Every structure is written in C-alpha cells, then in structure tokens.
Amino acid sequence: FPPPPPLSIHTPAPHSTPLSASDFKLIKRRTPGRYHLLRGLQALKSKAAVCGAAASLVTDTISFTQKWQKEHSHVTSIPITMSKYELRSKTHSLCGVTYDQSLLASTSLTPSLLERIGGTDGFLALATLFYKRVFADKSNPWFLGIFASSTQSEAIDNQYRFLVQTFGGPELYKEKKGKYTRLVGRHANYKIGPQAARRWMDHMELAIDEHPNLEGGEHDEAREYLKLYFRYTAFYIVAASEYMRDDQLSGGTQLDSGRIW
C-alpha cells in the first residue's frame, strides 16, 4: 500500500494534546461509508493547528494510517479532496470567471435582479425560455440526454425555485427539496464536462438575451452579471463533481416517479 503524502503543518505551540478515540470516531462519522485516508489526515492537521498537538501528531498519523490500511486493504485508489478555495481557483481556470464576479448579480445591482427581472414570475419566465431551448436541442443528443430523467415542466420548476431563492426571493427551493441546495450532488450522477457546460451556457445566454424584462441598455449590466453567475456555477459543478464521494450523490439518471430529487 503506498505511503500517505507528507503533511505540511505549522504547530508553534510547544504543548501537546493527543487525539482521542472520539476524535477518530468523529473522522469516520464525517465521511460515512468509507472515510478516506487523505480526509483523515486533514482532520489530524486541523486538530494540530488548533491545539498545537505537535509532539503527538506523528504518532497519531501513523496510528491512523495503519488503522485505515488494515480496514481498507482492498482499496486501490484514494479520492483526493479539495478546499473550497481550490475549487474556486479550478473553476476560474475552466471558465475565466472568479468567485467574486459570480456574486455581482446578487450583490451589486440596484434595483436588485429580483426586481429587474419581474419578481418570481420573471425567474419562471427565464427558466421556461431556457428549458424550451434545451429540450428542443435535438441536434445534440449527447447534451439532451443529460436531461432524460426529468420532464421539461419539472426542470423548469426546479430551476425557477432555485433562482428565486438564490436571488433573494421566497425559499421555494427549500420548500420542495429541503434545507440544503446540494447543487453539485444533484448533478454528480450525470456526465457533465466542460463541453456540456459550454452548451448549457449557450442556451442560458440566449434565454437571458430574450427575456423581455431584461431588454434595453439600462439592463446591460444585469444581463452581464447574470451570465457571469451562470457561467461560474456551470463550471463549478464540472470542477466539484470530480471530487464527490458515492455517499454525497443525490438525484438520479432514470425517471423518478417521486420527482423529488
């Protein structure tokens, strides 16, 4: 079994606080099903950074590594995790939009985007324009197939609810889906790569340009900011899906009779 990667840890405090059995249980509980070696080592690193457990860290790391190897001797590859900052950086490299730029549509418009687009009905109109284009994209079956597990009306409803909630309206998405949006998890079962994200953006940009409430020079900024938001979000899903674990997936790739995913 290959040795774990070296840790780079700054622990200036001279005292030591060894990890307890409850610490190891916490590591396991946070990644149900299979707690990966790198995630465990990251937890050790965080513990050391907080309490200065420099003296015991090496022993704890070896102990955890041996325990993990014994319990997972059948594992041949280890999924790598990324921090949110690394994911933001990777997303930027894929699409050219920074995380801060993606927030402009929700933080830098007066009147707000929700007001400009016409409230909840305006976002319903945008979702309808978008998915009308998507489901008519017969010339690209590889792209249309991504949406095969949903009807057009369901797709419109889900996106409409998400956008209303995201841009300051009622929590319609939460009412249907629950507390967490889990945007990446809900898309991780589908084959969404850069090509699909670009095609998705082609349809969304045209839908934004067609929206009657966003026409005219006074809405140029709003249209541009909204496109930045969607471009970043589409490619964030591409970047983050690569690091999803099996127990984090949501949604499906077959038509769901319950229609709640």
Side-chain angles (χ1 to χ4, degrees):
F1 195 93
L7 297 177
S8 175
I9 304 169
H10 177 61
T11 54
H15 61 280
S16 169
T17 306
L19 272 76
S20 64
S22 61
D23 290 319
F24 286 111
K25 289 181 180 179
L26 181 61
I27 294 169
K28 186 172 182 178
R29 188 166 66 248
R30 284 179 175 172
T31 54
R34 49 174 181 161
Y35 61 108
H36 306 311
L37 177 58
L38 292 185
R39 291 182 68 86
L41 295 179
Q42 286 172 346
L44 292 174
K45 176 180 176 180
S46 298
K47 178 82 174 185
V50 171
C51 66
S56 66
L57 182 62
V58 174
T59 301
D60 290 328
T61 300
I62 293 173
S63 174
F64 175 81
T65 302
Q66 291 174 339
K67 179 180 176 66
W68 192 93
Q69 290 175 350
K70 182 177 180 180
E71 295 183 1
H72 298 79
S73 58
H74 61 286
V75 176
T76 59
S77 63
I78 303 170
I80 299 174
T81 59
M82 294 184 76
S83 73
K84 63 181 180 182
Y85 303 105
E86 291 172 314
L87 282 174
R88 290 173 184 175
S89 177
K90 182 170 183 179
T91 303
H92 177 219
S93 70
L94 288 173
C95 68
V97 180
T98 67
Y99 172 71
D100 289 340
Q101 287 175 319
S102 76
L103 299 179
L104 292 174
S106 57
T107 62
S108 300
L109 292 173
T110 304
S112 69
L113 181 62
L114 182 64
E115 295 175 274
R116 288 169 182 259
I117 206 169
T120 57
D121 288 343
F123 278 118
L124 179 59
L126 179 61
T128 301
L129 285 168
F130 171 71
Y131 276 109
K132 182 178 180 180
R133 286 187 162 277
V134 168
F135 280 83
D137 195 356
K138 308 296 185 183
S139 61
N140 290 285
W142 63 269
F143 176 74
L144 187 57
I146 296 173
F147 305 89
S149 64
S150 177
T151 67
Q152 184 171 337
S153 60
E154 289 165 348
I156 290 171
D157 184 62
N158 287 336
Q159 187 182 82
Y160 147 71
R161 288 171 177 268
F162 177 80
L163 293 177
V164 168
Q165 181 172 311
T166 297
F167 289 101
E171 294 185 326
L172 302 181
Y173 195 81
K174 180 179 178 180
E175 290 177 5
K176 180 178 180 179
K177 301 281 192 172
K179 181 178 179 180
Y180 303 105
T181 57
R182 301 195 65 206
L183 192 61
V184 176
R186 295 186 191 280
H187 290 83
N189 274 328
Y190 307 95
K191 295 180 180 179
I192 303 176
Q195 183 182 13
R198 285 190 291 269
R199 188 62 182 163
W200 193 97
M201 276 305 303
D202 289 343
H203 291 307
M204 180 54 75
E205 289 182 346
L206 288 170
I208 292 171
D209 290 339
E210 291 176 358
H211 198 294
N213 292 347
L214 296 178
E215 294 179 344
E218 70 273 22
H219 296 303
D220 285 349
E221 194 174 50
R223 289 196 303 274
E224 179 61 24
Y225 287 173
L226 189 54
K227 290 175 184 179
L228 289 175
Y229 164 77
F230 279 122
R231 181 168 294 278
Y232 181 89
T233 302
F235 282 89
Y236 181 87
I237 290 173
V238 173
S241 293
E242 183 179 346
Y243 301 96
M244 293 293 293
R245 302 190 313 273
D246 293 343
D247 58 284
Q248 291 176 309
L249 303 183
S250 182
T253 55
Q254 297 180 346
L255 204 60
D256 178 8
S257 59
R259 298 294 198 271
I260 306 298
W261 49 262

